[in-house]
Every structure is written in C-alpha cells, then in structure tokens.
mmCIF file of all heavy atoms in Angstrom:
data_model
loop_
_atom_site.group_PDB
_atom_site.id
_atom_site.type_symbol
_atom_site.label_atom_id
_atom_site.label_comp_id
_atom_site.label_asym_id
_atom_site.label_seq_id
_atom_site.Cartn_x
_atom_site.Cartn_y
_atom_site.Cartn_z
ATOM 1 N N PRO M 16 -99.123 68.090 -39.917
ATOM 2 C CA PRO M 16 -99.252 66.714 -39.264
ATOM 3 C C PRO M 16 -98.002 66.297 -38.654
ATOM 4 O O PRO M 16 -96.854 66.516 -39.082
ATOM 5 C CB PRO M 16 -99.655 65.857 -40.442
ATOM 6 C CG PRO M 16 -100.224 66.747 -41.542
ATOM 7 C CD PRO M 16 -99.345 68.001 -41.318
ATOM 8 N N LEU M 17 -98.099 65.520 -37.446
ATOM 9 C CA LEU M 17 -96.967 64.942 -36.839
ATOM 10 C C LEU M 17 -96.506 63.800 -37.812
ATOM 11 O O LEU M 17 -95.323 63.619 -37.984
ATOM 12 C CB LEU M 17 -97.272 64.445 -35.503
ATOM 13 C CG LEU M 17 -96.189 63.638 -34.869
ATOM 14 C CD1 LEU M 17 -95.017 64.466 -34.422
ATOM 15 C CD2 LEU M 17 -96.861 62.980 -33.548
ATOM 16 N N LEU M 18 -97.415 62.989 -38.280
ATOM 17 C CA LEU M 18 -97.024 61.878 -39.045
ATOM 18 C C LEU M 18 -97.630 61.852 -40.359
ATOM 19 O O LEU M 18 -98.909 62.107 -40.432
ATOM 20 C CB LEU M 18 -97.511 60.557 -38.326
ATOM 21 C CG LEU M 18 -97.329 59.168 -39.097
ATOM 22 C CD1 LEU M 18 -95.799 58.843 -39.349
ATOM 23 C CD2 LEU M 18 -98.051 58.061 -38.538
ATOM 24 N N GLU M 19 -96.887 61.750 -41.527
ATOM 25 C CA GLU M 19 -97.455 61.664 -42.768
ATOM 26 C C GLU M 19 -96.938 60.353 -43.572
ATOM 27 O O GLU M 19 -95.734 60.183 -43.534
ATOM 28 C CB GLU M 19 -96.994 62.966 -43.649
ATOM 29 C CG GLU M 19 -97.455 64.271 -43.093
ATOM 30 C CD GLU M 19 -97.029 65.403 -43.897
ATOM 31 O OE1 GLU M 19 -95.924 65.893 -43.636
ATOM 32 O OE2 GLU M 19 -97.615 65.896 -44.978
ATOM 33 N N VAL M 20 -97.863 59.694 -44.044
ATOM 34 C CA VAL M 20 -97.535 58.506 -44.779
ATOM 35 C C VAL M 20 -97.944 58.848 -46.229
ATOM 36 O O VAL M 20 -99.179 59.034 -46.538
ATOM 37 C CB VAL M 20 -98.276 57.220 -44.283
ATOM 38 C CG1 VAL M 20 -98.051 55.956 -45.151
ATOM 39 C CG2 VAL M 20 -97.756 56.871 -42.882
ATOM 40 N N ARG M 21 -97.049 58.720 -47.147
ATOM 41 C CA ARG M 21 -97.394 59.092 -48.479
ATOM 42 C C ARG M 21 -97.008 57.951 -49.527
ATOM 43 O O ARG M 21 -95.869 57.534 -49.588
ATOM 44 C CB ARG M 21 -96.359 60.311 -48.995
ATOM 45 C CG ARG M 21 -96.664 61.590 -48.140
ATOM 46 C CD ARG M 21 -95.832 62.655 -48.615
ATOM 47 N NE ARG M 21 -95.909 63.878 -47.771
ATOM 48 C CZ ARG M 21 -95.303 65.028 -47.895
ATOM 49 N NH1 ARG M 21 -94.152 64.958 -48.792
ATOM 50 N NH2 ARG M 21 -95.463 66.066 -47.239
ATOM 51 N N ASP M 22 -98.102 57.455 -50.078
ATOM 52 C CA ASP M 22 -97.855 56.416 -51.320
ATOM 53 C C ASP M 22 -97.036 55.347 -50.934
ATOM 54 O O ASP M 22 -96.156 54.863 -51.694
ATOM 55 C CB ASP M 22 -97.337 57.185 -52.611
ATOM 56 C CG ASP M 22 -98.292 58.376 -53.044
ATOM 57 O OD1 ASP M 22 -99.459 58.191 -52.962
ATOM 58 O OD2 ASP M 22 -97.620 59.346 -53.408
ATOM 59 N N LEU M 23 -97.309 54.725 -49.736
ATOM 60 C CA LEU M 23 -96.337 53.819 -49.040
ATOM 61 C C LEU M 23 -96.719 52.385 -49.788
ATOM 62 O O LEU M 23 -97.910 51.928 -49.894
ATOM 63 C CB LEU M 23 -96.622 53.689 -47.620
ATOM 64 C CG LEU M 23 -95.510 53.041 -46.917
ATOM 65 C CD1 LEU M 23 -94.155 53.662 -46.893
ATOM 66 C CD2 LEU M 23 -95.977 52.926 -45.300
ATOM 67 N N VAL M 24 -95.604 51.707 -50.209
ATOM 68 C CA VAL M 24 -95.668 50.354 -50.824
ATOM 69 C C VAL M 24 -94.651 49.528 -50.268
ATOM 70 O O VAL M 24 -93.514 49.830 -49.942
ATOM 71 C CB VAL M 24 -95.445 50.594 -52.343
ATOM 72 C CG1 VAL M 24 -95.384 49.201 -52.991
ATOM 73 C CG2 VAL M 24 -96.427 51.410 -53.117
ATOM 74 N N LYS M 25 -95.087 48.213 -49.977
ATOM 75 C CA LYS M 25 -94.084 47.205 -49.453
ATOM 76 C C LYS M 25 -94.397 45.953 -50.125
ATOM 77 O O LYS M 25 -95.628 45.414 -50.027
ATOM 78 C CB LYS M 25 -94.227 47.142 -48.004
ATOM 79 C CG LYS M 25 -93.262 46.005 -47.414
ATOM 80 C CD LYS M 25 -91.803 46.351 -47.633
ATOM 81 C CE LYS M 25 -90.973 45.312 -47.062
ATOM 82 N NZ LYS M 25 -89.538 45.696 -47.310
ATOM 83 N N HIS M 26 -93.378 45.419 -50.857
ATOM 84 C CA HIS M 26 -93.655 44.087 -51.621
ATOM 85 C C HIS M 26 -92.518 43.148 -50.805
ATOM 86 O O HIS M 26 -91.375 43.553 -50.642
ATOM 87 C CB HIS M 26 -93.386 44.204 -53.072
ATOM 88 C CG HIS M 26 -94.257 45.017 -53.827
ATOM 89 N ND1 HIS M 26 -94.172 45.476 -55.130
ATOM 90 C CD2 HIS M 26 -95.518 45.562 -53.438
ATOM 91 C CE1 HIS M 26 -95.169 46.213 -55.510
ATOM 92 N NE2 HIS M 26 -96.057 46.203 -54.429
ATOM 93 N N TYR M 27 -92.968 41.878 -50.882
ATOM 94 C CA TYR M 27 -91.993 40.919 -50.203
ATOM 95 C C TYR M 27 -91.730 39.841 -51.333
ATOM 96 O O TYR M 27 -92.720 39.388 -52.113
ATOM 97 C CB TYR M 27 -92.534 40.136 -49.088
ATOM 98 C CG TYR M 27 -92.665 41.081 -47.865
ATOM 99 C CD1 TYR M 27 -94.041 41.616 -47.436
ATOM 100 C CD2 TYR M 27 -91.604 41.296 -47.064
ATOM 101 C CE1 TYR M 27 -94.136 42.390 -46.350
ATOM 102 C CE2 TYR M 27 -91.630 42.013 -45.867
ATOM 103 C CZ TYR M 27 -92.897 42.611 -45.588
ATOM 104 O OH TYR M 27 -92.999 43.309 -44.505
ATOM 105 N N ARG M 28 -90.588 39.482 -51.640
ATOM 106 C CA ARG M 28 -90.097 38.498 -52.604
ATOM 107 C C ARG M 28 -90.243 37.099 -51.907
ATOM 108 O O ARG M 28 -89.833 36.764 -50.861
ATOM 109 C CB ARG M 28 -88.666 38.657 -52.989
ATOM 110 C CG ARG M 28 -88.439 39.895 -53.896
ATOM 111 C CD ARG M 28 -86.954 40.143 -54.215
ATOM 112 N NE ARG M 28 -86.879 41.321 -55.047
ATOM 113 C CZ ARG M 28 -86.930 41.347 -56.299
ATOM 114 N NH1 ARG M 28 -87.251 40.240 -56.993
ATOM 115 N NH2 ARG M 28 -86.780 42.497 -56.924
ATOM 116 N N LEU M 29 -90.887 36.172 -52.765
ATOM 117 C CA LEU M 29 -90.997 34.758 -52.278
ATOM 118 C C LEU M 29 -90.040 33.845 -53.050
ATOM 119 O O LEU M 29 -89.606 34.254 -54.106
ATOM 120 C CB LEU M 29 -92.499 34.312 -52.554
ATOM 121 C CG LEU M 29 -93.560 35.026 -51.797
ATOM 122 C CD1 LEU M 29 -94.886 34.434 -52.245
ATOM 123 C CD2 LEU M 29 -93.367 34.936 -50.390
ATOM 124 N N PRO M 30 -89.685 32.765 -52.601
ATOM 125 C CA PRO M 30 -88.944 31.802 -53.246
ATOM 126 C C PRO M 30 -89.524 31.370 -54.604
ATOM 127 O O PRO M 30 -90.614 31.137 -54.742
ATOM 128 C CB PRO M 30 -88.644 30.624 -52.271
ATOM 129 C CG PRO M 30 -89.138 31.103 -50.987
ATOM 130 C CD PRO M 30 -90.118 32.133 -51.111
ATOM 131 N N ARG M 31 -88.617 31.197 -55.547
ATOM 132 C CA ARG M 31 -89.184 30.738 -57.025
ATOM 133 C C ARG M 31 -89.632 29.330 -56.716
ATOM 134 O O ARG M 31 -89.017 28.477 -55.937
ATOM 135 C CB ARG M 31 -87.958 30.795 -57.933
ATOM 136 C CG ARG M 31 -87.592 32.125 -58.353
ATOM 137 C CD ARG M 31 -86.530 31.945 -59.503
ATOM 138 N NE ARG M 31 -86.154 33.240 -60.023
ATOM 139 C CZ ARG M 31 -84.997 33.891 -59.646
ATOM 140 N NH1 ARG M 31 -84.317 33.496 -58.709
ATOM 141 N NH2 ARG M 31 -84.783 35.011 -60.189
ATOM 142 N N GLU M 32 -90.753 29.035 -57.474
ATOM 143 C CA GLU M 32 -91.243 27.573 -57.486
ATOM 144 C C GLU M 32 -90.427 26.778 -58.344
ATOM 145 O O GLU M 32 -90.264 25.581 -58.204
ATOM 146 C CB GLU M 32 -92.681 27.577 -57.968
ATOM 147 C CG GLU M 32 -93.619 28.415 -56.919
ATOM 148 C CD GLU M 32 -95.110 28.328 -57.470
ATOM 149 O OE1 GLU M 32 -95.403 27.686 -58.579
ATOM 150 O OE2 GLU M 32 -95.879 28.752 -56.767
ATOM 151 N N ARG M 33 -89.859 27.288 -59.436
ATOM 152 C CA ARG M 33 -88.911 26.609 -60.437
ATOM 153 C C ARG M 33 -87.612 27.554 -60.633
ATOM 154 O O ARG M 33 -87.707 28.645 -60.303
ATOM 155 C CB ARG M 33 -89.648 26.266 -61.760
ATOM 156 C CG ARG M 33 -90.905 25.542 -61.604
ATOM 157 C CD ARG M 33 -91.540 25.258 -62.989
ATOM 158 N NE ARG M 33 -91.759 26.438 -63.704
ATOM 159 C CZ ARG M 33 -92.865 27.122 -63.493
ATOM 160 N NH1 ARG M 33 -93.756 26.794 -62.545
ATOM 161 N NH2 ARG M 33 -92.947 28.256 -64.272
ATOM 162 N N LEU M 34 -86.564 26.996 -61.145
ATOM 163 C CA LEU M 34 -85.365 27.519 -61.200
ATOM 164 C C LEU M 34 -85.373 28.830 -62.051
ATOM 165 O O LEU M 34 -84.826 29.829 -61.651
ATOM 166 C CB LEU M 34 -84.321 26.583 -61.855
ATOM 167 C CG LEU M 34 -82.838 27.147 -61.932
ATOM 168 C CD1 LEU M 34 -82.302 27.554 -60.644
ATOM 169 C CD2 LEU M 34 -81.957 26.042 -62.728
ATOM 170 N N PHE M 35 -86.029 28.796 -63.146
ATOM 171 C CA PHE M 35 -86.105 29.953 -64.065
ATOM 172 C C PHE M 35 -87.401 30.679 -64.050
ATOM 173 O O PHE M 35 -87.674 31.518 -64.944
ATOM 174 C CB PHE M 35 -85.769 29.491 -65.532
ATOM 175 C CG PHE M 35 -84.373 29.029 -65.592
ATOM 176 C CD1 PHE M 35 -84.154 27.601 -65.833
ATOM 177 C CD2 PHE M 35 -83.281 29.772 -65.457
ATOM 178 C CE1 PHE M 35 -82.847 27.015 -65.935
ATOM 179 C CE2 PHE M 35 -81.910 29.227 -65.647
ATOM 180 C CZ PHE M 35 -81.803 27.897 -65.758
ATOM 181 N N ALA M 36 -88.277 30.363 -63.111
ATOM 182 C CA ALA M 36 -89.524 31.005 -62.976
ATOM 183 C C ALA M 36 -89.327 32.543 -62.415
ATOM 184 O O ALA M 36 -88.232 32.850 -61.786
ATOM 185 C CB ALA M 36 -90.396 30.327 -62.116
ATOM 186 N N PRO M 37 -90.159 33.436 -62.758
ATOM 187 C CA PRO M 37 -90.046 34.751 -62.215
ATOM 188 C C PRO M 37 -90.139 34.797 -60.745
ATOM 189 O O PRO M 37 -90.894 33.860 -60.107
ATOM 190 C CB PRO M 37 -91.252 35.502 -62.832
ATOM 191 C CG PRO M 37 -92.106 34.615 -63.409
ATOM 192 C CD PRO M 37 -91.356 33.322 -63.687
ATOM 193 N N VAL M 38 -89.603 35.684 -60.081
ATOM 194 C CA VAL M 38 -89.727 35.694 -58.606
ATOM 195 C C VAL M 38 -91.116 36.290 -58.172
ATOM 196 O O VAL M 38 -91.410 37.421 -58.629
ATOM 197 C CB VAL M 38 -88.621 36.770 -58.045
ATOM 198 C CG1 VAL M 38 -88.779 36.845 -56.496
ATOM 199 C CG2 VAL M 38 -87.186 36.260 -58.406
ATOM 200 N N PRO M 39 -91.910 35.565 -57.459
ATOM 201 C CA PRO M 39 -93.208 35.973 -57.039
ATOM 202 C C PRO M 39 -93.132 37.044 -55.928
ATOM 203 O O PRO M 39 -92.122 37.024 -55.191
ATOM 204 C CB PRO M 39 -93.977 34.749 -56.572
ATOM 205 C CG PRO M 39 -92.851 33.788 -56.264
ATOM 206 C CD PRO M 39 -91.667 34.204 -57.024
ATOM 207 N N LEU M 40 -94.082 37.931 -55.941
ATOM 208 C CA LEU M 40 -94.067 39.029 -54.887
ATOM 209 C C LEU M 40 -95.391 38.896 -54.147
ATOM 210 O O LEU M 40 -96.559 38.667 -54.655
ATOM 211 C CB LEU M 40 -94.047 40.423 -55.541
ATOM 212 C CG LEU M 40 -92.741 40.798 -56.355
ATOM 213 C CD1 LEU M 40 -92.944 42.100 -57.024
ATOM 214 C CD2 LEU M 40 -91.581 40.721 -55.453
ATOM 215 N N VAL M 41 -95.260 39.240 -52.888
ATOM 216 C CA VAL M 41 -96.519 39.350 -52.079
ATOM 217 C C VAL M 41 -96.647 40.945 -51.889
ATOM 218 O O VAL M 41 -95.729 41.522 -51.412
ATOM 219 C CB VAL M 41 -96.386 38.835 -50.643
ATOM 220 C CG1 VAL M 41 -97.589 39.285 -49.858
ATOM 221 C CG2 VAL M 41 -96.436 37.298 -50.865
ATOM 222 N N ARG M 42 -97.691 41.533 -52.246
ATOM 223 C CA ARG M 42 -98.010 42.951 -52.217
ATOM 224 C C ARG M 42 -98.640 43.225 -50.812
ATOM 225 O O ARG M 42 -99.888 43.184 -50.779
ATOM 226 C CB ARG M 42 -98.803 43.419 -53.348
ATOM 227 C CG ARG M 42 -98.045 43.323 -54.706
ATOM 228 C CD ARG M 42 -99.016 43.787 -55.803
ATOM 229 N NE ARG M 42 -98.139 43.939 -57.168
ATOM 230 C CZ ARG M 42 -98.107 42.982 -57.969
ATOM 231 N NH1 ARG M 42 -98.721 41.877 -57.828
ATOM 232 N NH2 ARG M 42 -97.436 43.299 -59.048
ATOM 233 N N ALA M 43 -97.920 43.496 -49.788
ATOM 234 C CA ALA M 43 -98.451 43.601 -48.409
ATOM 235 C C ALA M 43 -99.080 44.941 -48.175
ATOM 236 O O ALA M 43 -100.080 45.132 -47.592
ATOM 237 C CB ALA M 43 -97.333 43.469 -47.440
ATOM 238 N N VAL M 44 -98.548 46.053 -48.832
ATOM 239 C CA VAL M 44 -98.935 47.404 -48.635
ATOM 240 C C VAL M 44 -98.917 48.015 -50.133
ATOM 241 O O VAL M 44 -97.937 47.884 -50.778
ATOM 242 C CB VAL M 44 -98.064 48.256 -47.717
ATOM 243 C CG1 VAL M 44 -98.492 49.752 -47.740
ATOM 244 C CG2 VAL M 44 -98.249 47.703 -46.233
ATOM 245 N N GLN M 45 -100.089 48.544 -50.483
ATOM 246 C CA GLN M 45 -100.366 49.117 -51.828
ATOM 247 C C GLN M 45 -100.665 50.510 -51.965
ATOM 248 O O GLN M 45 -101.730 50.868 -52.095
ATOM 249 C CB GLN M 45 -101.313 48.100 -52.485
ATOM 250 C CG GLN M 45 -100.853 46.771 -52.876
ATOM 251 C CD GLN M 45 -100.093 46.829 -54.120
ATOM 252 O OE1 GLN M 45 -98.857 47.146 -54.154
ATOM 253 N NE2 GLN M 45 -100.795 46.430 -55.295
ATOM 254 N N GLY M 46 -99.690 51.383 -51.750
ATOM 255 C CA GLY M 46 -100.072 52.768 -51.955
ATOM 256 C C GLY M 46 -100.841 53.576 -50.909
ATOM 257 O O GLY M 46 -101.777 54.351 -51.234
ATOM 258 N N MET M 47 -100.597 53.198 -49.620
ATOM 259 C CA MET M 47 -101.264 53.970 -48.520
ATOM 260 C C MET M 47 -100.821 55.368 -48.270
ATOM 261 O O MET M 47 -99.654 55.614 -48.483
ATOM 262 C CB MET M 47 -101.070 53.096 -47.281
ATOM 263 C CG MET M 47 -101.742 51.771 -47.207
ATOM 264 S SD MET M 47 -101.586 51.084 -45.576
ATOM 265 C CE MET M 47 -101.963 49.374 -45.854
ATOM 266 N N SER M 48 -101.699 56.208 -48.126
ATOM 267 C CA SER M 48 -101.440 57.663 -47.719
ATOM 268 C C SER M 48 -102.445 58.126 -46.681
ATOM 269 O O SER M 48 -103.694 57.883 -46.750
ATOM 270 C CB SER M 48 -101.544 58.598 -48.860
ATOM 271 O OG SER M 48 -100.621 58.211 -49.912
ATOM 272 N N PHE M 49 -101.883 58.638 -45.547
ATOM 273 C CA PHE M 49 -102.771 59.253 -44.490
ATOM 274 C C PHE M 49 -101.877 60.192 -43.666
ATOM 275 O O PHE M 49 -100.581 60.136 -43.778
ATOM 276 C CB PHE M 49 -103.447 58.134 -43.583
ATOM 277 C CG PHE M 49 -102.374 57.338 -42.882
ATOM 278 C CD1 PHE M 49 -101.908 57.681 -41.657
ATOM 279 C CD2 PHE M 49 -102.146 56.075 -43.414
ATOM 280 C CE1 PHE M 49 -100.952 56.755 -41.014
ATOM 281 C CE2 PHE M 49 -101.241 55.140 -42.853
ATOM 282 C CZ PHE M 49 -100.776 55.603 -41.625
ATOM 283 N N SER M 50 -102.361 60.930 -42.741
ATOM 284 C CA SER M 50 -101.560 61.776 -41.826
ATOM 285 C C SER M 50 -102.278 61.775 -40.547
ATOM 286 O O SER M 50 -103.458 61.409 -40.308
ATOM 287 C CB SER M 50 -101.651 63.144 -42.370
ATOM 288 O OG SER M 50 -103.008 63.719 -42.397
ATOM 289 N N LEU M 51 -101.526 62.064 -39.466
ATOM 290 C CA LEU M 51 -101.900 62.095 -38.119
ATOM 291 C C LEU M 51 -101.372 63.215 -37.361
ATOM 292 O O LEU M 51 -100.134 63.480 -37.448
ATOM 293 C CB LEU M 51 -101.410 60.741 -37.446
ATOM 294 C CG LEU M 51 -101.664 60.526 -35.872
ATOM 295 C CD1 LEU M 51 -103.252 60.502 -35.627
ATOM 296 C CD2 LEU M 51 -101.165 59.319 -35.415
ATOM 297 N N ALA M 52 -102.234 63.988 -36.793
ATOM 298 C CA ALA M 52 -101.822 65.213 -36.058
ATOM 299 C C ALA M 52 -101.359 64.914 -34.644
ATOM 300 O O ALA M 52 -101.695 63.850 -33.973
ATOM 301 C CB ALA M 52 -102.949 66.180 -36.017
ATOM 302 N N ALA M 53 -100.474 65.774 -34.110
ATOM 303 C CA ALA M 53 -100.156 65.553 -32.824
ATOM 304 C C ALA M 53 -101.324 65.622 -31.759
ATOM 305 O O ALA M 53 -102.243 66.303 -31.977
ATOM 306 C CB ALA M 53 -99.228 66.761 -32.340
ATOM 307 N N GLY M 54 -101.174 64.672 -30.852
ATOM 308 C CA GLY M 54 -102.337 64.459 -29.774
ATOM 309 C C GLY M 54 -103.571 63.824 -30.193
ATOM 310 O O GLY M 54 -104.449 63.634 -29.539
ATOM 311 N N CYS M 55 -103.653 63.364 -31.565
ATOM 312 C CA CYS M 55 -104.673 62.616 -32.038
ATOM 313 C C CYS M 55 -104.534 61.099 -32.170
ATOM 314 O O CYS M 55 -103.336 60.672 -32.010
ATOM 315 C CB CYS M 55 -105.159 63.176 -33.373
ATOM 316 S SG CYS M 55 -105.762 64.948 -33.268
ATOM 317 N N SER M 56 -105.521 60.456 -32.339
ATOM 318 C CA SER M 56 -105.374 58.872 -32.515
ATOM 319 C C SER M 56 -106.036 58.469 -33.743
ATOM 320 O O SER M 56 -107.106 58.863 -34.129
ATOM 321 C CB SER M 56 -106.071 58.249 -31.273
ATOM 322 O OG SER M 56 -107.423 58.673 -31.084
ATOM 323 N N LEU M 57 -105.327 57.537 -34.511
ATOM 324 C CA LEU M 57 -105.934 56.989 -35.716
ATOM 325 C C LEU M 57 -105.903 55.471 -35.512
ATOM 326 O O LEU M 57 -104.890 54.833 -35.169
ATOM 327 C CB LEU M 57 -104.880 57.454 -36.855
ATOM 328 C CG LEU M 57 -105.290 56.735 -38.209
ATOM 329 C CD1 LEU M 57 -106.548 57.398 -38.788
ATOM 330 C CD2 LEU M 57 -104.170 57.035 -39.238
ATOM 331 N N GLY M 58 -107.092 54.873 -35.750
ATOM 332 C CA GLY M 58 -107.243 53.461 -35.720
ATOM 333 C C GLY M 58 -106.990 52.888 -37.077
ATOM 334 O O GLY M 58 -107.528 53.366 -38.183
ATOM 335 N N VAL M 59 -106.393 51.762 -37.220
ATOM 336 C CA VAL M 59 -106.147 50.892 -38.396
ATOM 337 C C VAL M 59 -106.778 49.512 -38.251
ATOM 338 O O VAL M 59 -106.402 48.880 -37.331
ATOM 339 C CB VAL M 59 -104.681 50.831 -38.755
ATOM 340 C CG1 VAL M 59 -104.574 50.051 -40.152
ATOM 341 C CG2 VAL M 59 -104.024 52.183 -38.797
ATOM 342 N N VAL M 60 -107.824 49.223 -39.076
ATOM 343 C CA VAL M 60 -108.488 48.023 -38.787
ATOM 344 C C VAL M 60 -108.486 47.148 -40.178
ATOM 345 O O VAL M 60 -108.374 47.794 -41.190
ATOM 346 C CB VAL M 60 -109.997 48.205 -38.349
ATOM 347 C CG1 VAL M 60 -109.994 49.016 -37.055
ATOM 348 C CG2 VAL M 60 -110.743 48.950 -39.444
ATOM 349 N N GLY M 61 -108.718 45.812 -39.919
ATOM 350 C CA GLY M 61 -108.721 45.024 -41.168
ATOM 351 C C GLY M 61 -108.516 43.662 -40.640
ATOM 352 O O GLY M 61 -107.989 43.394 -39.596
ATOM 353 N N GLU M 62 -108.875 42.653 -41.463
ATOM 354 C CA GLU M 62 -108.673 41.223 -41.182
ATOM 355 C C GLU M 62 -107.131 40.896 -41.249
ATOM 356 O O GLU M 62 -106.321 41.624 -41.707
ATOM 357 C CB GLU M 62 -109.613 40.392 -41.963
ATOM 358 C CG GLU M 62 -109.184 40.438 -43.409
ATOM 359 C CD GLU M 62 -110.278 39.742 -44.392
ATOM 360 O OE1 GLU M 62 -111.096 39.074 -43.830
ATOM 361 O OE2 GLU M 62 -110.233 40.098 -45.576
ATOM 362 N N SER M 63 -106.837 39.642 -40.838
ATOM 363 C CA SER M 63 -105.530 39.205 -40.960
ATOM 364 C C SER M 63 -105.136 39.091 -42.419
ATOM 365 O O SER M 63 -105.813 38.802 -43.236
ATOM 366 C CB SER M 63 -105.333 37.767 -40.417
ATOM 367 O OG SER M 63 -105.617 37.787 -38.981
#
C-alpha cells in the first residue's frame, strides 16, 4: 500500500474545570487502521 494507517489515536487535552481536577481528554481518533493503494481513492464519511 502507498498509505498505511495503523492503530492511530489522537487525544486532545482540555482545560481543567477545577484546580486539582484531572485533565479531561477529547478522544478524537480511537485506533483507526486502513490502507490505500497507489492510484486508488478512499472515501472517509461521518457527521461533524
């Protein structure tokens, strides 16, 4: 494959609501894996 995505994860840290509260995370990408061959097209769909 030209492109390989393996177990991709992306978390974003949010501001604490209180001083000693744990840092909240937004889990934007949760373990995505796929591949794309040269000359081919892959569509990615989903709501906002």
